[in-house]
Amino acid sequence: MPAQIIDGNALSRQIRAEVAQRAAALTARGTRPGLAVVLVGEDPASQVYVRNKVKACEESGLHSVLERYPATLSEAELLERIDALNLDPAIHGILVQMPLPRHINPHRVIEAISTRKDVDGYSTLSAGELMTQLPGFRPCTPYGCMKLIESTGFDLRGKHAVVIGRSNTVGKPMALLLLQANATVTVCHSATPDLGLHTRQADVVVAAAGRRDMLTADMVKPGALVIDVGINRNDAGKLCGDVDFAGVSQVAGWITPVPGGVGPMTIAMLLVNTVEAAERAAR
Ligand code: NAD
């Protein structure tokens, strides 16, 4: 039987509606949740991403500010802007769109964002909070993947989960979140010699390598839950993930499509983190 499709568009709409309710309740009490999105330079993909984030804020009743700067902005000037946003009571979340121009050190910038406003969850403090299971902001993409898994009713306890990819923003936090949900976790990466050896034993596979068709049907255990984080283009220029959807969907139990899977959830979880930041500030 073909896999059940996990619909990220539908789930993200539901989550955004909940965010809108929380935002309206906070606004009625005098605190309208606010997100500042900072874009430095002219990267075309980044321009689309920031526009989508700002639009999503507006649709859920959040206040949003888009600050755009030329690629010539100095690191010191950017850090000054972040300091000002850290102190701005109308702003509860700060997101600096990556990548930054080469002359700006992204780590210094991320660390400059107040932990209370780090809604991307990229700072070392937020990473430490995740590692030690303290409350804090979880990186939006893996957080969204967890919500997709939860939406199926799949119980992760005692299951074997394989994460493909070990980036600080997706693979590693994903592995930690799965671990916290009591899965037994294997992390595979570019130096893993036989990927299929691991994925064939997995009840859950999260593919986050950025390599199209990397996960094929013969690498998936029948009935497994497959989350496809990858964003790639096929030969026809169409968006596709890391998973050979046509083949794997004949073997897996559940699967996320690309587009319409993880992508919309990443934005939804950014809104969740921002409204959460505002609720904490209003306490
Ligand atoms: P990255 O380039 O930082 O990391 C890729 C990881 O994949 C690395 O850890 C590397 O070791 C591993 N890898 C590469 N080739 C491999 C192989 N052949 N076998 C096993 N592992 C391999 O990328 P990232 O930022 O973690 O993003 C991963 C993918 O997810 C990209 O396609 C990116 O565009 C996408 N992404 C999507 C969303 C979304 O919202 N849908 C958000 C973030 C990232």
Side-chain angles (χ1 to χ4, degrees):
M1 204 175 75
Q4 288 183 46
I5 311 289
I6 313 175
D7 185 345
N9 283 326
L11 183 60
S12 71
R13 269 197 300 276
Q14 191 186 317
I15 290 175
R16 283 158 64 162
E18 288 161 13
V19 165
Q21 282 180 3
R22 288 165 70 181
L26 263 180
T27 305
R29 287 168 39 211
T31 305
R32 187 171 182 211
L35 175 72
V37 180
V38 180
L39 174 65
V40 185
E42 307 290 327
D43 181 67
S46 293
Q47 297 198 28
V48 176
Y49 295 149
V50 297
R51 262 204 307 274
N52 289 343
K53 288 167 186 171
V54 168
K55 189 164 158 260
C57 278
E58 283 161 8
E59 286 170 2
S60 292
L62 276 69
H63 163 64
S64 68
V65 183
L66 172 55
E67 298 201 358
R68 305 172 65 130
Y69 297 103
T72 51
L73 186 81
S74 72
E75 185 179 290
E77 286 168 322
L78 178 56
L79 293 175
E80 249 172 55
R81 271 316 298 153
I82 290 174
D83 275 348
L85 291 168
N86 281 338
L87 296 172
D88 185 342
I91 295 300
H92 305 95
I94 303 171
L95 181 153
V96 179
Q97 186 64 44
M98 299 292 154
L100 287 166
R102 290 170 71 96
H103 64 276
I104 299 179
N105 180 334
H107 298 292
R108 215 169 284 151
V109 172
I110 291 167
E111 296 310 320
I113 298 171
S114 157
T115 315
R116 289 176 294 111
K117 300 192 179 187
D118 178 27
V119 287
D120 248 344
Y122 286 175
S123 69
T124 49
L125 250 164
S126 295
E129 286 171 338
L130 168 60
M131 168 76 95
T132 52
Q133 302 193 43
L134 288 170
F137 298 114
R138 305 318 187 210
C140 302
T141 299
Y143 192 11
C145 292
M146 292 303 288
K147 293 287 172 194
L148 286 163
I149 297 170
E150 272 170 32
S151 76
T152 66
F154 187 96
D155 183 8
L156 285 163
R157 172 177 287 272
K159 301 294 194 320
H160 184 198
V162 168
V163 179
I164 310 171
R166 57 175 162 182
S167 69
N168 290 335
T169 50
V170 186
K172 279 187 217 158
M174 187 73 232
L176 287 170
L177 288 169
L178 289 163
L179 201 57
Q180 279 173 21
N182 289 313
T184 300
V185 182
T186 301
V187 181
C188 298
H189 45 78
S190 49
T192 302
D194 185 353
L195 188 59
L197 179 74
H198 304 282
T199 58
R200 270 189 288 275
Q201 298 171 34
D203 304 301
V204 176
V205 181
V206 180
R211 301 272 181 277
R212 78 182 217 223
D213 290 340
M214 188 190 53
L215 192 76
T216 48
D218 58 308
M219 296 164 76
V220 174
K221 179 166 144 180
L225 191 157
V226 177
I227 302 284
D228 192 353
V229 183
I231 302 178
N232 310 293
R233 298 253 169 213
N234 66 16
D235 290 338
K238 272 185 66 180
L239 219 56
C240 65
D242 288 355
V243 176
D244 166 25
F245 185 86
V248 172
S249 60
Q250 297 306 309
V251 180
W254 296 265
I255 190 168
T256 60
V258 177
V262 175
M265 291 300 292
T266 296
I267 295 192
M269 301 326 289
L270 172 68
L271 301 185
V272 168
N273 280 349
T274 304
V275 87
E276 177 79 39
E279 284 169 351
R280 287 183 202 171
R283 260 175 219 147

